[in-house]
Amino acid sequence: MSRHLGFHNLPYMAHRKSMKKGFRFTLMVVGESGLGKSTLIQSLFGNSIATSSAASHSIQPTTTIETVTADIEPFDDPRGVKMKLTVVDTPGFGESIDSSNCWQPIVDFINQKYDQYYEDESGFNRPNIEDNRVHCCLYFINPSCHQLKPLDIKCMQELHKLVNVVPVIAKADTLTDIEKKKLKTRLLNEINENGIQIYTGQIEEEEDSPEIFEIMNAIPMAVVGSTEYHRLAGEKVRGRSYPWGLVQVENKDHCDFLLLKSMLINTHMQDLKDCTQDIHYENFRKKKLKQEHS
Ligand code: GDP
Ligand code: MG
């Protein structure tokens, strides 16, 4: 199941283009420590990819920026295209007393990848550049604060200029449906008030698709991750077990995990790449050119 990435659902032209170029996608997770970043990566990509901290069932705190790349084989797809998926797991904020500038290593990492691309672009091997730029940054928000922390605001303000930021509400199993709804509205207001431009996508021709609408409408998605499987009606399901019942990761009625997964590896993957190229990398290039000519 985890290997089935719905990759064949990419629009055909994008699919053709990626066949030629080799499809690379990089996802980064950022936020306070202990919010389930490593667990979510494992829930999303399971057997295909596991950061060392997320390997097996014991998840250790992430202390350095960790990059893991895996070849993802399309499942049962006659047009078979391999994808190289890279996941960048980052150390959580708040481990040290002084958390000012804690986003700097992350900003540096993103800029390094742009720099590399920029260099490659002006070199001899232009047609075969490896795209290692960060295409999406999932920003984890603590569900227990009921609002953004000043550090979240500052971090997202630093990141949104550089990368597609997709905010997610972590550990959504700790909130009721009403609390989730309230928190989503509140967070969107705060994001707006603080001039943070989160990823909204630029998919036009499919604007009226109910799936795209459902996905964009669910942001900031409320997610649940787990490294454990439980038996439910004879089936193995990923979830978190409580005395009052089982929260299923891959159940749309329980959380937005499936919507997020669908967005990342299916409906919005190409668009996240396009926005990286057209908006964020373009900004980087402009700055770079200005520096070079001043
Ligand atoms: P990270 O520091 O953000 O990478 O967080 P980890 O993935 O290491 O998880 C920290 C702790 O939170 C672990 O004990 C996980 O089992 C737990 N955890 C992870 N995801 C969830 C979730 O969705 N809900 C709940 N309640 N706990 C979670
Ligand atoms: Mg971690």
Side-chain angles (χ1 to χ4, degrees):
M1 247 323 259
S2 57
R3 308 206 89 182
H4 182 189
L5 291 182
F7 193 48
H8 56 288
N9 292 329
L10 281 176
Y12 189 60
M13 283 313 288
H15 186 92
R16 285 282 303 260
K17 214 164 116 191
S18 19
M19 272 207 286
K20 279 205 219 119
K21 286 195 169 176
F23 203 92
R24 285 176 169 264
F25 189 80
T26 299
L27 173 71
M28 179 184 242
V29 291
V30 174
E32 209 178 290
S33 65
L35 288 185
K37 297 184 292 299
S38 304
T39 309
L40 193 79
I41 288 174
Q42 205 188 349
S43 308
L44 281 168
F45 305 115
N47 307 329
S48 314
I49 205 158
T51 61
S52 62
S53 64
S56 79
H57 286 249
S58 63
I59 295 211
Q60 303 295 320
T62 315
T63 50
T64 53
I65 293 185
E66 274 182 37
T67 301
V68 184
T69 299
D71 282 318
I72 308 283
E73 303 269 356
F75 175 79
D76 212 17
D77 181 357
R79 284 186 278 166
V81 181
K82 266 193 190 171
M83 174 178 70
K84 243 189 208 326
L85 172 74
T86 301
V87 174
V88 185
D89 198 354
T90 61
F93 301 148
E95 300 274 28
S96 60
I97 298 162
D98 178 17
S99 52
S100 56
N101 287 358
C102 59
W103 55 84
Q104 198 57 49
I106 294 165
V107 165
D108 291 345
F109 182 95
I110 297 169
N111 275 326
Q112 246 170 36
K113 302 297 168 194
Y114 286 143
D115 248 325
Q116 184 62 53
Y117 196 90
Y118 185 77
E119 231 171 74
D120 290 350
E121 226 180 22
S122 37
F124 288 113
N125 200 22
R126 227 185 122 164
N128 302 311
I129 303 176
E130 257 184 27
D131 184 5
N132 290 316
R133 294 170 296 186
V134 178
H135 300 109
C136 180
C137 169
L138 291 183
Y139 192 92
F140 284 64
I141 295 162
N142 192 327
S144 63
C145 304
H146 306 290
Q147 63 182 62
L148 289 177
K149 290 185 176 180
L151 188 59
D152 293 327
I153 294 173
K154 191 72 197 110
C155 284
M156 282 199 274
Q157 281 174 340
E158 292 295 323
L159 290 169
H160 80 135
K161 300 178 273 188
L162 284 178
V163 70
N164 295 314
V165 174
V166 174
V168 296
I169 298 171
K171 300 188 176 182
D173 52 322
T174 58
L175 300 172
T176 65
D177 284 348
I178 293 171
E179 284 170 336
K180 267 186 259 182
K181 222 173 155 195
K182 261 194 183 161
L183 183 56
K184 281 188 181 196
T185 310
R186 168 141 202 178
L187 292 176
L188 283 181
N189 283 339
E190 286 186 322
I191 283 168
N192 228 345
E193 283 160 11
N194 289 286
I196 299 163
Q197 270 160 4
I198 55 171
Y199 169 74
T200 50
Q202 49 184 14
I203 299 177
E204 276 161 29
E205 68 270 33
E206 289 175 283
E207 247 168 7
D208 50 353
S209 137
E211 194 186 3
I212 304 259
F213 181 78
E214 190 186 6
I215 286 175
M216 293 323 281
N217 229 16
I219 291 177
M221 291 172 187
V223 294
V224 176
S226 173
T227 52
E228 284 172 9
Y229 286 92
H230 299 268
R231 287 244 155 239
L232 186 77
E235 282 204 40
K236 243 175 81 179
V237 296
R238 201 184 269 280
R240 306 191 75 88
S241 177
Y242 290 99
W244 44 265
L246 179 68
V247 179
Q248 298 163 50
V249 170
E250 297 185 72
N251 182 332
K252 268 192 177 178
D253 294 333
H254 293 194
C255 72
D256 300 325
F257 175 87
L258 280 181
L259 283 180
L260 177 68
K261 183 166 176 175
S262 185
M263 171 186 177
L264 291 176
I265 62 181
N266 186 359
T267 57
H268 289 72
M269 185 175 251
Q270 185 61 48
D271 188 61
L272 285 159
K273 281 174 71 93
D274 291 344
C275 289
T276 303
Q277 171 72 27
D278 302 344
I279 302 167
H280 300 296
Y281 181 64
E282 216 31 54
N283 283 340
F284 173 87
R285 250 186 97 248
K286 270 188 210 138
K287 253 195 265 162
K288 199 84 187 167
L289 286 170
K290 250 191 212 156
Q291 273 170 17
E292 284 172 3
H293 292 101
S294 62

